[in-house]
Amino acid sequence: MKKIYKSTYIGLLLLGLVSCNQPSEQSDKIVNDSNTPLHLLTPDYHTPYQEWKTEDIKSCLDKVLGYLESTTPTRTIDKESGEEITDYTQINQHAQLDRGAFRLASYEWGVTYSGMMEAAKATGDARYMAYVEDRFRFLAEMVPYFTRLLNEHDVIDAQMRQILRPGALDDAGAVCAAMIKLNRIKPEMDFSTMIDNYMDFIMNKEHRLSDGTFARMRPQANTMWLDDMYMAIPSIAQMGAYTGDTKYFDEAVRQIFLFSERMFVEEKGLYMHGWVEGEEDHPAFHWGRANGWALLTMTEVLDVLPEDYPGRDRVMAQYKAHVKGITRLQSGEGFWHQLLDRNDSYLETSATAIFTYCIARGINKGWLDAISYGPVAQLGWSAVATKVNDEGQVEGTCVGTGMAFDPAFYYYRPVNVYAAHGYGPVLLAGAEMINLLNQFFPKMNDSAIQYYSVKQNTTRPIFGIAE
């Protein structure tokens, strides 16, 4: 009987009939329980459900790299004439960084620089690191000229103002963290002036609550935004690794729990997006990307916090609790929703990519179990990969989003290929999936992706594990 099943299944496969949606009238032979192993019919997945090869993931990342190389130039121009300024001593009040598709000094691009560095490490392709080096070198070269312009005329390009006089954590933290990462890899590239300026703002000038928690004065006074975990804390932790001064590790750990104590909803395993001091009730909307920033924060802190550092075990427990909450809400398409616990909100790319990276990273670091979480990460990557178009643009990413007190605000946020928030997370997710596939051996077994620590050398559609 097994031989009959096998030959029938192969024949159906060759005829293209093994699909849940294909009617039996396409074949003269009726497919039924007696002549076909129905459990092996191929489901009609919307998101490809597949085994991945590292070269296929790299091909996807290469599209993104190529697109960003062509759309984020490193040039200074005179905005009056439109001409490039090559002699930087001639930079005047009309000078600005060339307006590419994305801003080189934005927090979104701080994440992109981090993603490029992870992709360089995972793939061995030097082009990814060159992308970061070229742009940081360019920005560093611009600093003295635009500093003079700012001091003499109080006029400056908006992107350079973010670097020289940051006014919010968005201006400082993500780019600072990326610069420190590059300096730790390549100490000869000295960005200490910019790093120190960023860190001075983060540690000494950003608004805080009375207990020291980072907060904003919008949209209400003393509002905590979950986003600010990522806009500050990873750079502080990186500063600890960079300088060896443990006060930065202490502050990073402290901030994680100041945020978590107010904003983590234990019964859901999710963070709320906003918290307003003095209010009895808070806008408990579990926005996807903000939860991504929180999980990415803990992932990055655990990356650099010494194994025996006080508080590390608490950070790890918080990371795992959040992963559990996130994992149970993954959709059948592999994406996560814009509002995580509301299935009628749209499926969103950037949050999905962040969760994919953080979960894959946790498996590779030994924080999470590959059997339980490997398929979650792989399904997430399968979803993300469908949103990288042939040009290398990332589709389905929610644009910048403030904090609101009603669901309609989140449900109807636009998506756009120029929403810069998607590119860094896609690079991070793809790079970490390459690392995951180099460490584990996912394989289809009984139509489901399973993760194995040892390669399974079988072509059988269903197989057991030899003792």
Side-chain angles (χ1 to χ4, degrees), residues 68 103-119 131-132 136 170 172-179 181 227 230-231 234 289 292-293 296-297 300 350 353-354 357 420-429:
L68 297 184
R103 294 167 293 139
L104 298 183
S106 69
Y107 76 83
E108 301 96 328
W109 235 239
V111 185
T112 300
Y113 295 132
S114 290
M116 289 284 184
M117 286 185 275
E118 289 296 331
Y131 179 93
V132 183
F136 279 170
D170 289 2
V175 174
C176 181
M179 283 186 174
K181 291 172 186 176
D227 317 50
Y230 188 77
M231 304 308 151
R289 188 161 66 231
W293 294 140
L296 185 56
T297 295
E300 292 210 5
S350 65
I354 296 172
Y357 168 74
H421 316 71
Y423 291 87
V426 167
L427 290 164
L428 287 169

Side-chain angles (χ1 to χ4, degrees), residues 69-80:
E69 284 177 327
S70 67
T71 57
T72 52
T74 54
R75 299 192 310 163
T76 302
I77 63 169
D78 185 311
K79 64 184 178 183
E80 296 292 310

Side-chain angles (χ1 to χ4, degrees), residues 76 85-97 137-157 160-161 163-164 193-194:
T76 302
I85 300 172
T86 56
D87 180 359
Y88 297 146
T89 63
Q90 301 303 307
I91 285 178
N92 57 34
Q93 64 268 32
H94 303 302
Q96 66 177 27
L97 304 189
R137 190 182 294 111
F138 169 69
L139 293 175
E141 193 173 5
M142 292 299 102
V143 164
Y145 300 103
F146 279 94
T147 298
R148 174 184 57 79
L149 191 63
L150 184 61
N151 292 338
E152 292 178 0
H153 303 284
D154 198 31
V155 174
I156 192 173
D157 172 74
M160 291 304 300
R161 184 180 289 274
I163 297 172
L164 299 178
T193 299
M194 288 188 287

Side-chain angles (χ1 to χ4, degrees), residues 318-339:
Q318 185 65 34
Y319 162 86
K320 290 182 176 180
H322 196 198
V323 167
K324 287 182 180 178
I326 291 296
T327 299
R328 68 170 65 102
L329 294 173
Q330 187 177 28
S331 76
E333 307 306 326
F335 293 96
W336 277 267
H337 289 271
Q338 166 79 340
L339 287 178

Side-chain angles (χ1 to χ4, degrees), residues 1-11 37 459-461:
M1 182 62 72
K2 287 183 179 179
K3 290 182 179 179
I4 294 173
Y5 274 7
K6 185 176 180 181
S7 60
T8 303
Y9 176 70
I10 291 172
T459 58
R460 289 179 294 170

Side-chain angles (χ1 to χ4, degrees), residues 235-300:
S235 62
I236 296 171
Q238 285 289 335
M239 197 67 172
Y242 181 56
T243 65
D245 190 336
T246 59
K247 75 177 183 183
Y248 295 107
F249 289 147
D250 292 342
E251 179 66 359
V253 171
R254 187 175 81 98
Q255 287 291 335
I256 286 174
F257 290 103
L258 288 172
F259 274 85
S260 297
E261 286 161 9
R262 291 179 171 98
M263 304 182 79
F264 189 68
V265 181
E266 290 188 14
E267 59 268 27
K268 290 190 174 184
L270 303 174
Y271 285 88
M272 62 179 71
H273 185 203
W275 184 94
V276 181
E277 187 175 60
E279 294 299 306
E280 182 178 349
D281 297 312
H282 300 279
F285 295 107
H286 306 292
W287 180 41
R289 188 161 66 231
N291 272 263
W293 294 140
L295 190 60
L296 185 56
T297 295
M298 291 182 282
T299 302
E300 292 210 5

